[in-house]
Amino acid sequence: MVRERFLFGPFVLNPEDGTLVRQGVPVPVGYRGLLLLTLLVRRAGEVLKKPDMMDAAWPGISVEEGNLSVQITSLRKLLGPSTEGGEWIATVPRVGYRFAGPVEKLSGAETPAGPGSEPGPSIAVLPFDNLSGEAEKQYFADGLAEDIITRLGRLRWLLVSARNSSFTYRGKAVDGKQVGRELGVRYVLDGSVRSLGQRVRVGAQLSDVSTGLQVWAERYDLELIDFFALQDQIAESVIAAIEPRLFAAEHQRFQTRPINNLDAWGYVMKAMPYVWTWGSEQDINTAQALLKKAIDIEPNYPRANSLLAWTQAARVQLGWDDSANGLQIAGSLAQRAIQRDPEDPWAHFSAGYVYMVGRGYQPAVAALNEAIELNPSMAFAHTILGSTFGYGGMPADGLHHLAIATRLSPRDFAQAGNLSTQGLCHFIAGRFGEAAELERRAILLRPHFGTAWRTLAASAGMSNDLETAAH
């Protein structure tokens, strides 16, 4: 069977895979938006009536016309201006919409010509080596990589491999080409950190794994007080080396509001390895204790508040805390983070997770979409958005975002959460056998994963596997 693809401007749309890429970089388009875009592109130049478009995007579901308008607005924002300067999607008043740009249909064997044919700018930031000779200083090296990932992830034209994938290479002697092949990136940034009293020495190098050549390298020797400025400096140098034309236009986007206290930052970085485990109550308690120390020092630190909100909501989801009180605390923390820095994707991400745990479907979707808008490479936001759609009874939308999360973070150590959420979506769709198999895979990766066990029991029961359901 020939795989159908469409080329328009710098974009390639693959309806079968559910992907849209711009110059090789995935564009985070939602499931309903993808269905509408596919319909428009397949019938480019034709005027499509609104009822027909709504039937295509929401088959068998009755929705208001406003939902179509929201999706079209979102698509226009994602696509930007056409190659001729106008809108890709034209409005036909009182009738519907028309795809206004030229479209080339590609067969499965064809390689797109022009802008879409080159591999897009993409990078993995590996954990920096700790050369301080003290294991407790590892958080310092990890924190530098964490913050550079966050800064680079804000650039829409740059695909940044998720932290949970790139950090799987910690302490391993790996070839850059291997990393590029396994994570699907063109560039790899790595380096080392040595702290000496009140001074820090940092080395960083950027390699193009497609050629094996080093394209940038620098060494820095500075006072600790200048450490945060260094993070921006390294990010600027990396962006300028990868895409100097875009650097001039967009270099402000990745800069974050400065944190005033290195000790508060240090506690947050020490908490990070315990935040994402979903593994044990002890891990969550450890993370919360460290995050609270950071907030004691700097009460309005956005990252500390957003991560504490996440851990508090996780306690509720895992059944360790009272739902009403726990979510109220988590929601207040998330909103404090948003008020302090509304441009911080982590703040909106944590708010979305709190809403999701509390089954606040609409605000969860809005907050998580805002996080993805601010950081298109935020794989975990797609995972939680997939979970939100699953709980909201829209499993196809959920599976779409879970697939995006997998592409952004193919070696994610939190894979069990993604698998279990896929299982939830299949369960909601009535595919109980597929759901049970995915939950089994999640449990093999994380034997004490309560959510996976619960969905496995329900799936097995619905497929008449009573022995497994009663286990």
Side-chain angles (χ1 to χ4, degrees):
M1 181 179 177
V2 177
R3 296 170 66 87
E4 188 180 44
R5 293 182 298 157
F6 300 93
L7 172 67
F8 57 97
F11 299 95
V12 176
L13 173 66
N14 187 328
E16 186 175 337
D17 287 348
T19 59
L20 175 69
V21 298
R22 178 198 291 116
Q23 296 180 326
V25 178
V27 177
V29 58
Y31 177 66
R32 307 294 166 175
L34 189 76
L35 293 177
L36 288 169
L37 182 60
T38 299
L39 177 66
L40 285 161
V41 167
R42 278 182 174 149
R43 298 172 60 180
E46 295 183 38
V47 177
L48 302 180
K49 295 180 179 180
K50 293 179 181 179
D52 295 336
M53 297 179 71
M54 292 164 69
D55 288 342
W58 292 274
I61 303 174
S62 178
V63 298
E64 296 180 358
E65 190 177 295
N67 289 280
L68 176 61
S69 301
V70 168
Q71 293 295 333
I72 294 296
T73 299
S74 178
L75 283 173
R76 284 172 171 160
K77 188 174 182 179
L78 283 173
L79 298 176
S82 71
T83 50
E84 298 174 354
E87 297 279 8
W88 285 105
I89 303 171
T91 299
V92 181
R94 296 183 298 278
V95 180
Y97 300 94
R98 174 176 59 86
F99 196 81
V103 176
E104 179 184 352
K105 186 175 180 180
L106 306 172
S107 70
E110 287 182 273
T111 299
S117 61
E118 294 297 321
S122 48
I123 189 171
V125 181
L126 302 187
F128 278 43
D129 292 330
N130 170 29
L131 303 183
S132 302
E134 303 173 56
E136 62 269 21
K137 293 291 182 69
Q138 183 63 49
Y139 79 91
F140 208 84
D142 288 350
L144 177 58
E146 293 261 14
D147 280 356
I148 293 173
I149 288 171
T150 297
R151 283 160 168 75
L152 296 179
R154 293 189 173 200
L155 300 170
R156 294 184 178 90
W157 54 267
L158 181 65
L159 172 67
V160 183
S161 182
R163 178 257 192 214
N164 285 0
S165 279
S166 60
F167 270 47
T168 61
Y169 296 97
R170 184 214 301 279
K172 299 177 182 176
V174 291
D175 177 67
K177 289 188 175 181
Q178 176 190 346
V179 175
R181 184 173 59 254
E182 292 177 350
L183 299 185
V185 296
R186 180 173 177 180
Y187 297 96
V188 171
L189 176 70
D190 63 342
S192 61
V193 178
R194 184 193 302 272
S195 58
L196 306 165
Q198 292 302 305
R199 298 192 64 79
V200 60
R201 184 170 298 162
V202 176
Q205 48 275 334
L206 179 72
S207 301
D208 184 337
V209 299
S210 66
T211 63
L213 298 178
Q214 187 179 88
V215 296
W216 170 82
E218 190 60 82
R219 304 192 78 81
Y220 306 88
D221 196 340
L222 66 157
E223 297 286 341
L224 276 176
I225 195 172
D226 299 320
F227 183 67
F228 297 124
L230 173 66
Q231 296 171 344
D232 280 337
Q233 189 175 344
I234 293 175
E236 287 179 359
S237 299
V238 168
I239 296 166
I242 292 175
E243 193 56 82
R245 295 167 300 170
L246 293 174
F247 168 68
E250 223 184 342
H251 76 281
Q252 289 292 334
R253 181 171 172 80
F254 64 83
Q255 295 183 346
T256 58
R257 295 193 179 189
I259 174 68
N260 298 321
N261 193 288
L262 191 62
D263 290 335
W265 176 87
Y267 282 124
V268 169
M269 292 306 143
K270 289 177 182 178
M272 289 295 276
Y274 302 99
V275 169
W276 310 118
T277 61
W278 271 340
S280 70
E281 188 171 7
Q282 182 178 351
D283 282 347
I284 295 291
N285 290 343
T286 300
Q288 290 193 321
L290 291 165
L291 293 168
K292 287 175 181 177
K293 287 182 178 180
I295 291 171
D296 286 342
I297 297 170
E298 186 135 347
N300 292 319
Y301 186 2
R303 181 75 66 87
N305 280 281
S306 60
L307 293 180
L308 188 57
W310 164 275
T311 58
Q312 188 61 43
R315 293 185 63 87
V316 172
Q317 186 180 28
L318 295 170
W320 301 330
D321 265 7
D322 171 68
S323 175
N325 185 55
L327 290 180
Q328 183 177 5
I329 293 170
S332 297
L333 290 164
Q335 291 306 315
R336 183 192 296 175
I338 291 172
Q339 290 166 11
R340 176 67 177 90
D341 188 358
E343 297 298 310
D344 183 3
W346 293 94
H348 297 279
F349 168 67
S350 64
Y353 179 60
V354 173
Y355 286 129
M356 188 274 288
V357 173
R359 301 297 183 262
Y361 173 76
Q362 293 291 353
V365 170
L368 292 164
N369 277 327
E370 181 67 20
I372 292 167
E373 168 68 19
L374 292 167
N375 185 342
S377 294
M378 199 171 195
F380 219 0
H382 283 285
T383 297
I384 301 304
L385 184 54
S387 181
T388 302
F389 280 125
Y391 284 122
M394 303 178 73
D397 302 65
L399 290 168
H400 171 75
H401 283 280
L402 292 166
I404 293 175
T406 300
R407 285 197 297 273
L408 290 171
S409 189
R411 287 173 57 92
D412 203 316
F413 62 72
Q415 184 186 12
N418 190 299
L419 289 170
S420 182
T421 307
Q422 289 182 52
L424 167 69
C425 290
H426 282 287
F427 179 85
I428 297 297
R431 296 184 290 268
F432 304 120
E434 291 94 326
E437 178 56 31
L438 286 160
E439 299 301 342
R440 287 189 185 96
R441 290 172 59 191
I443 289 165
L444 284 175
L445 292 172
R446 187 170 298 164
H448 302 293
F449 195 177
T451 301
W453 278 109
R454 287 191 292 272
T455 310
L456 173 60
S459 302
M462 293 300 293
S463 55
N464 293 319
D465 181 1
L466 301 182
E467 182 179 352
T468 298
H471 181 67

